[in-house]
Amino acid sequence: MDLDDLYQEIILEHYKQPKNQGVVPQADIEIEGRNPFCGDEIKLTLKIDDGVIKDVKFAGSGCAISQASASLMTEHIKGKKVSEVKELFQEFAHMVRGEEHEHHHIDEMDELSAFHGVSAYPTRVKCAMLAWNAMKEGIERELQKHEK
Ligand code: ZN
């Protein structure tokens, strides 16, 4: 089995048996994302306490890449600081867009790197980024609220 098969397997596994599916009760952040090009939909709920992602869940429907990406994202951001999550977002975005970037958090062994192959398919980048974009938007909105 080569690396591409392994990556494909990771994506299919998370698509079939997504992690953190559902809705976080009394969430601090609730945000929806849509990718009309593919018909992917996602709803994220997050609980943030003291600058840390205490809980995150997603609900949605769509292609394997969009749903697997959401599942993997929830696993990777749960328990992390908001500042770390922002860095992770940047790295993931660079990776799926195929941009050269120093990766501090995502290495070859990390499941998130399963999405690096998406960069060869520009229409799929939106699928992979859907949950991440929603998460970033939700966090920024929440931070702005507290600045006021
Ligand atoms: Zn899609």
Side-chain angles (χ1 to χ4, degrees):
M1 193 161 75
D2 68 20
L3 213 53
D4 281 344
D5 290 335
L6 177 70
Y7 287 151
Q8 206 141 29
E9 198 153 298
I10 291 168
I11 290 172
L12 278 177
E13 217 163 272
H14 276 269
Y15 176 54
K16 286 181 195 156
Q17 285 174 316
K19 306 274 160 54
N20 303 311
Q21 218 176 14
V23 177
V24 175
Q26 289 157 353
D28 298 304
I29 298 173
E30 189 179 315
I31 191 149
E32 283 173 42
R34 226 171 267 272
N35 174 20
F37 298 95
C38 184
D40 308 321
E41 289 179 352
I42 207 117
K43 182 181 168 180
L44 277 179
T45 43
L46 295 99
K47 193 125 193 86
I48 295 185
D49 190 19
D50 215 10
V52 174
I53 314 273
K54 288 285 178 193
D55 202 2
V56 52
K57 285 190 192 298
F58 83 98
S61 62
C63 70
I65 290 176
S66 67
Q67 303 304 305
S69 180
S71 171
L72 269 158
M73 182 190 80
T74 58
E75 277 201 310
H76 277 77
I77 68 172
K78 205 172 179 175
K80 284 211 170 80
K81 284 186 198 147
V82 169
S83 55
E84 288 174 320
V85 167
K86 280 182 169 174
E87 282 175 33
L88 195 60
F89 171 90
Q90 287 300 340
E91 279 189 33
F92 188 80
H94 281 296
M95 184 182 68
V96 298
R97 289 177 195 142
E99 295 162 355
E100 287 294 330
H101 190 68
E102 255 184 81
H103 290 221
H104 299 290
H105 302 281
I106 306 171
D107 64 33
E108 232 178 66
M109 300 310 289
D110 196 304
E111 284 192 322
L112 285 177
S113 61
F115 291 92
H116 90 283
V118 168
S119 62
Y121 309 94
T123 54
R124 290 307 206 176
V125 172
K126 288 195 173 76
C127 303
M129 288 304 297
L130 182 66
W132 289 84
N133 284 331
M135 181 271 293
K136 187 169 176 257
E137 202 187 316
I139 284 178
E140 276 169 2
R141 212 194 272 170
E142 178 70 12
L143 292 178
Q144 274 169 7
K145 234 197 282 176
H146 290 287
E147 274 168 19
K148 272 176 204 164

PDB file of all heavy atoms in Angstrom, residues 109-123:
ATOM      1  N   MET A 109       3.220  12.162   8.925  1.00  0.00           N
ATOM      2  CA  MET A 109       2.546  11.096   9.654  1.00  0.00           C
ATOM      3  C   MET A 109       1.181  11.533  10.197  1.00  0.00           C
ATOM      4  O   MET A 109       0.404  10.728  10.657  1.00  0.00           O
ATOM      5  CB  MET A 109       3.416  10.621  10.829  1.00  0.00           C
ATOM      6  CG  MET A 109       4.766  10.077  10.416  1.00  0.00           C
ATOM      7  SD  MET A 109       4.609   8.853   9.089  1.00  0.00           S
ATOM      8  CE  MET A 109       3.860   7.503  10.008  1.00  0.00           C
ATOM      9  N   ASP A 110       0.963  12.831  10.150  1.00  0.00           N
ATOM     10  CA  ASP A 110      -0.285  13.343  10.687  1.00  0.00           C
ATOM     11  C   ASP A 110      -1.435  13.048   9.737  1.00  0.00           C
ATOM     12  O   ASP A 110      -1.299  13.191   8.526  1.00  0.00           O
ATOM     13  CB  ASP A 110      -0.156  14.858  10.868  1.00  0.00           C
ATOM     14  CG  ASP A 110      -1.241  15.416  11.769  1.00  0.00           C
ATOM     15  OD1 ASP A 110      -2.426  15.186  11.453  1.00  0.00           O
ATOM     16  OD2 ASP A 110      -0.912  16.059  12.764  1.00  0.00           O
ATOM     17  N   GLU A 111      -2.551  12.645  10.289  1.00  0.00           N
ATOM     18  CA  GLU A 111      -3.716  12.330   9.456  1.00  0.00           C
ATOM     19  C   GLU A 111      -4.161  13.514   8.599  1.00  0.00           C
ATOM     20  O   GLU A 111      -4.695  13.334   7.526  1.00  0.00           O
ATOM     21  CB  GLU A 111      -4.886  11.874  10.333  1.00  0.00           C
ATOM     22  CG  GLU A 111      -4.740  10.458  10.843  1.00  0.00           C
ATOM     23  CD  GLU A 111      -6.030   9.953  11.459  1.00  0.00           C
ATOM     24  OE1 GLU A 111      -6.718  10.743  12.125  1.00  0.00           O
ATOM     25  OE2 GLU A 111      -6.349   8.784  11.247  1.00  0.00           O
ATOM     26  N   LEU A 112      -3.933  14.721   9.096  1.00  0.00           N
ATOM     27  CA  LEU A 112      -4.335  15.907   8.329  1.00  0.00           C
ATOM     28  C   LEU A 112      -3.631  15.974   6.977  1.00  0.00           C
ATOM     29  O   LEU A 112      -4.157  16.525   6.013  1.00  0.00           O
ATOM     30  CB  LEU A 112      -4.034  17.191   9.110  1.00  0.00           C
ATOM     31  CG  LEU A 112      -4.959  17.529  10.281  1.00  0.00           C
ATOM     32  CD1 LEU A 112      -4.467  18.790  10.963  1.00  0.00           C
ATOM     33  CD2 LEU A 112      -6.392  17.711   9.819  1.00  0.00           C
ATOM     34  N   SER A 113      -2.453  15.385   6.897  1.00  0.00           N
ATOM     35  CA  SER A 113      -1.717  15.436   5.635  1.00  0.00           C
ATOM     36  C   SER A 113      -2.386  14.585   4.559  1.00  0.00           C
ATOM     37  O   SER A 113      -2.007  14.638   3.393  1.00  0.00           O
ATOM     38  CB  SER A 113      -0.260  15.024   5.838  1.00  0.00           C
ATOM     39  OG  SER A 113      -0.197  13.701   6.307  1.00  0.00           O
ATOM     40  N   ALA A 114      -3.400  13.809   4.936  1.00  0.00           N
ATOM     41  CA  ALA A 114      -4.179  13.054   3.947  1.00  0.00           C
ATOM     42  C   ALA A 114      -4.801  13.989   2.913  1.00  0.00           C
ATOM     43  O   ALA A 114      -5.144  13.569   1.815  1.00  0.00           O
ATOM     44  CB  ALA A 114      -5.263  12.238   4.632  1.00  0.00           C
ATOM     45  N   PHE A 115      -4.925  15.258   3.279  1.00  0.00           N
ATOM     46  CA  PHE A 115      -5.592  16.202   2.371  1.00  0.00           C
ATOM     47  C   PHE A 115      -4.620  16.942   1.452  1.00  0.00           C
ATOM     48  O   PHE A 115      -5.034  17.781   0.671  1.00  0.00           O
ATOM     49  CB  PHE A 115      -6.415  17.213   3.176  1.00  0.00           C
ATOM     50  CG  PHE A 115      -7.602  16.583   3.836  1.00  0.00           C
ATOM     51  CD1 PHE A 115      -7.510  16.091   5.123  1.00  0.00           C
ATOM     52  CD2 PHE A 115      -8.805  16.448   3.157  1.00  0.00           C
ATOM     53  CE1 PHE A 115      -8.590  15.472   5.727  1.00  0.00           C
ATOM     54  CE2 PHE A 115      -9.890  15.833   3.753  1.00  0.00           C
ATOM     55  CZ  PHE A 115      -9.780  15.344   5.043  1.00  0.00           C
ATOM     56  N   HIS A 116      -3.339  16.614   1.545  1.00  0.00           N
ATOM     57  CA  HIS A 116      -2.386  17.370   0.723  1.00  0.00           C
ATOM     58  C   HIS A 116      -2.630  17.112  -0.768  1.00  0.00           C
ATOM     59  O   HIS A 116      -2.399  17.984  -1.595  1.00  0.00           O
ATOM     60  CB  HIS A 116      -0.942  17.061   1.131  1.00  0.00           C
ATOM     61  CG  HIS A 116      -0.357  15.913   0.381  1.00  0.00           C
ATOM     62  ND1 HIS A 116      -0.655  14.613   0.673  1.00  0.00           N
ATOM     63  CD2 HIS A 116       0.479  15.892  -0.681  1.00  0.00           C
ATOM     64  CE1 HIS A 116      -0.012  13.821  -0.160  1.00  0.00           C
ATOM     65  NE2 HIS A 116       0.676  14.561  -1.009  1.00  0.00           N
ATOM     66  N   GLY A 117      -3.149  15.909  -1.101  1.00  0.00           N
ATOM     67  CA  GLY A 117      -3.402  15.573  -2.496  1.00  0.00           C
ATOM     68  C   GLY A 117      -4.496  16.405  -3.138  1.00  0.00           C
ATOM     69  O   GLY A 117      -4.611  16.472  -4.366  1.00  0.00           O
ATOM     70  N   VAL A 118      -5.311  17.041  -2.286  1.00  0.00           N
ATOM     71  CA  VAL A 118      -6.424  17.862  -2.765  1.00  0.00           C
ATOM     72  C   VAL A 118      -5.916  19.049  -3.600  1.00  0.00           C
ATOM     73  O   VAL A 118      -6.603  19.522  -4.503  1.00  0.00           O
ATOM     74  CB  VAL A 118      -7.257  18.365  -1.551  1.00  0.00           C
ATOM     75  CG1 VAL A 118      -8.233  19.453  -1.943  1.00  0.00           C
ATOM     76  CG2 VAL A 118      -8.012  17.197  -0.928  1.00  0.00           C
ATOM     77  N   SER A 119      -4.699  19.477  -3.329  1.00  0.00           N
ATOM     78  CA  SER A 119      -4.162  20.653  -4.030  1.00  0.00           C
ATOM     79  C   SER A 119      -4.114  20.460  -5.546  1.00  0.00           C
ATOM     80  O   SER A 119      -4.079  21.420  -6.300  1.00  0.00           O
ATOM     81  CB  SER A 119      -2.775  21.006  -3.489  1.00  0.00           C
ATOM     82  OG  SER A 119      -1.883  19.935  -3.718  1.00  0.00           O
ATOM     83  N   ALA A 120      -4.120  19.214  -5.994  1.00  0.00           N
ATOM     84  CA  ALA A 120      -4.104  18.935  -7.435  1.00  0.00           C
ATOM     85  C   ALA A 120      -5.483  19.151  -8.063  1.00  0.00           C
ATOM     86  O   ALA A 120      -5.606  19.164  -9.288  1.00  0.00           O
ATOM     87  CB  ALA A 120      -3.627  17.508  -7.680  1.00  0.00           C
ATOM     88  N   TYR A 121      -6.506  19.306  -7.227  1.00  0.00           N
ATOM     89  CA  TYR A 121      -7.876  19.464  -7.727  1.00  0.00           C
ATOM     90  C   TYR A 121      -8.502  20.734  -7.145  1.00  0.00           C
ATOM     91  O   TYR A 121      -9.128  20.689  -6.081  1.00  0.00           O
ATOM     92  CB  TYR A 121      -8.728  18.244  -7.336  1.00  0.00           C
ATOM     93  CG  TYR A 121      -8.101  16.945  -7.704  1.00  0.00           C
ATOM     94  CD1 TYR A 121      -7.324  16.248  -6.782  1.00  0.00           C
ATOM     95  CD2 TYR A 121      -8.257  16.408  -8.989  1.00  0.00           C
ATOM     96  CE1 TYR A 121      -6.716  15.043  -7.120  1.00  0.00           C
ATOM     97  CE2 TYR A 121      -7.654  15.214  -9.334  1.00  0.00           C
ATOM     98  CZ  TYR A 121      -6.886  14.539  -8.391  1.00  0.00           C
ATOM     99  OH  TYR A 121      -6.279  13.356  -8.729  1.00  0.00           O
ATOM    100  N   PRO A 122      -8.339  21.859  -7.855  1.00  0.00           N
ATOM    101  CA  PRO A 122      -8.783  23.164  -7.303  1.00  0.00           C
ATOM    102  C   PRO A 122     -10.238  23.184  -6.843  1.00  0.00           C
ATOM    103  O   PRO A 122     -10.547  23.842  -5.845  1.00  0.00           O
ATOM    104  CB  PRO A 122      -8.578  24.115  -8.486  1.00  0.00           C
ATOM    105  CG  PRO A 122      -7.507  23.483  -9.304  1.00  0.00           C
ATOM    106  CD  PRO A 122      -7.690  21.994  -9.163  1.00  0.00           C
ATOM    107  N   THR A 123     -11.115  22.462  -7.519  1.00  0.00           N
ATOM    108  CA  THR A 123     -12.515  22.486  -7.087  1.00  0.00           C
ATOM    109  C   THR A 123     -12.699  21.782  -5.746  1.00  0.00           C
ATOM    110  O   THR A 123     -13.657  22.044  -5.022  1.00  0.00           O
ATOM    111  CB  THR A 123     -13.444  21.800  -8.117  1.00  0.00           C
ATOM    112  OG1 THR A 123     -12.944  20.493  -8.373  1.00  0.00           O
ATOM    113  CG2 THR A 123     -13.526  22.591  -9.413  1.00  0.00           C
TER     114      THR A 123
END
